[in-house]
Amino acid sequence: NKNEKAKKETNAHFEEVRVEEKAFTSIDRGTSLVPLDRIVGSVGRYHDFDAKFSPKSHRSDERLKTLMTALSQGRPIPPITLYQIKDSYYILDGHHRYTAAKNLGHDHIRACILELLPSKDTLENKLYIEKIGFRDRFSLGNVPELTEPGQYQHLSEQIKEHNEYLSKQSAERISHVQAAADWYKTIYLPLRKLIENSGLIQSFDNRTV
């Protein structure tokens, strides 16, 4: 049965990725909005849903209609629960809520996120771990994409120096988070724009701005 095979593959995908990435250490990321198109699989509920997360039983279908009515009327619903492995998310709880939001044309859904950190020894994973470490340390929403390990330390040093500069200019103590936000706005973004406009990136294959 092709549909049953697809459902099993959707569920198995999570475990395959988890094992392949050696993603067993978890971090509670709290609650935030997640793009629906980044939710790519399910954890353990493939018997109740088809490959597109639509409910299988009539009872589930009734529950889905109730949730869609609540959402369309602007009534709050509990966040769903997701596992995250790098840039992909997998539903642990809340399949009906996800499907209701998708059927109504929503782009995002509120979710409680448990991130599983990849530990497989690859360049991609090293860069990812360094990136989220940098992001978490400085509470930056948008983080520069770097292509070589060890380079986020240079950005950290820039922020440290910028913090010292701002502290000298202000009578108040400047936190590293405040310094990072100011560095991003007044130093990083203008320089990024300058490099983008110069076309310099065309001379460097496989590199980001």
Side-chain angles (χ1 to χ4, degrees):
N1 185 298
K2 290 183 179 180
N3 289 335
E4 187 66 21
K5 182 180 179 181
K7 286 183 283 183
K8 288 182 178 179
E9 287 178 349
T10 299
N11 180 67
H13 182 61
F14 167 76
E15 288 299 336
E16 288 173 1
V17 172
R18 187 177 189 180
V19 171
E20 173 65 21
E21 295 288 0
K22 298 182 179 180
F24 302 108
T25 301
S26 63
I27 295 180
D28 185 349
R29 293 299 188 187
T31 303
S32 62
L33 288 175
V34 174
L36 289 179
D37 60 8
R38 299 269 291 278
I39 300 175
V40 300
S42 172
V43 182
R45 291 291 303 277
Y46 68 90
H47 287 298
D48 301 323
F49 297 84
D50 64 19
K52 296 181 179 180
F53 302 116
S54 295
K56 186 176 179 181
S57 71
H58 175 72
R59 185 175 180 180
S60 290
D61 193 52
E62 288 299 317
R63 183 181 175 190
L64 177 60
K65 290 178 181 178
T66 300
L67 285 167
M68 289 180 65
T69 299
L71 282 173
S72 63
Q73 293 177 350
R75 301 206 305 267
I77 62 174
I80 66 174
T81 303
L82 301 174
Y83 276 135
Q84 176 186 358
I85 300 179
K86 292 196 282 195
D87 293 328
S88 297
Y89 296 86
Y90 304 83
I91 302 175
L92 180 62
D93 179 64
H95 294 75
H96 292 90
R97 282 163 279 167
Y98 163 84
T99 304
K102 190 172 184 179
N103 288 351
L104 289 171
H106 293 191
D107 296 322
H108 293 74
I109 191 167
R110 186 163 296 280
C112 301
I113 303 166
L114 189 67
E115 181 172 11
L116 302 172
L117 299 179
S119 62
K120 185 178 181 181
D121 188 15
T122 65
L123 174 61
E124 180 182 326
N125 285 347
K126 288 178 181 177
L127 290 171
Y128 179 79
I129 294 299
E130 288 187 8
K131 175 184 174 180
I132 64 172
F134 179 82
R135 179 200 66 196
D136 293 348
R137 179 182 178 187
F138 295 109
S139 298
L140 287 172
N142 296 310
V143 178
E145 295 286 347
L146 305 185
T147 53
E148 292 185 7
Q151 300 305 305
Y152 284 103
Q153 181 58 35
H154 293 298
L155 300 188
S156 296
E157 291 297 325
Q158 285 188 25
I159 294 172
K160 179 181 177 181
E161 292 179 8
H162 191 60
N163 194 345
E164 293 172 354
Y165 167 78
L166 291 176
S167 296
K168 290 179 181 178
Q169 306 299 314
S170 174
E172 300 180 358
R173 181 179 178 277
I174 306 298
S175 71
H176 66 279
V177 171
Q178 290 172 314
D182 192 79
W183 165 86
Y184 187 85
K185 180 176 67 175
T186 65
I187 296 177
Y188 171 73
L189 286 181
L191 182 57
R192 178 188 175 91
K193 191 66 175 178
L194 182 65
I195 295 173
E196 286 176 339
N197 292 341
S198 72
L200 185 64
I201 190 64
Q202 299 174 11
S203 300
F204 296 88
D205 293 336
N206 302 316
R207 292 292 184 264
T208 60
V209 171

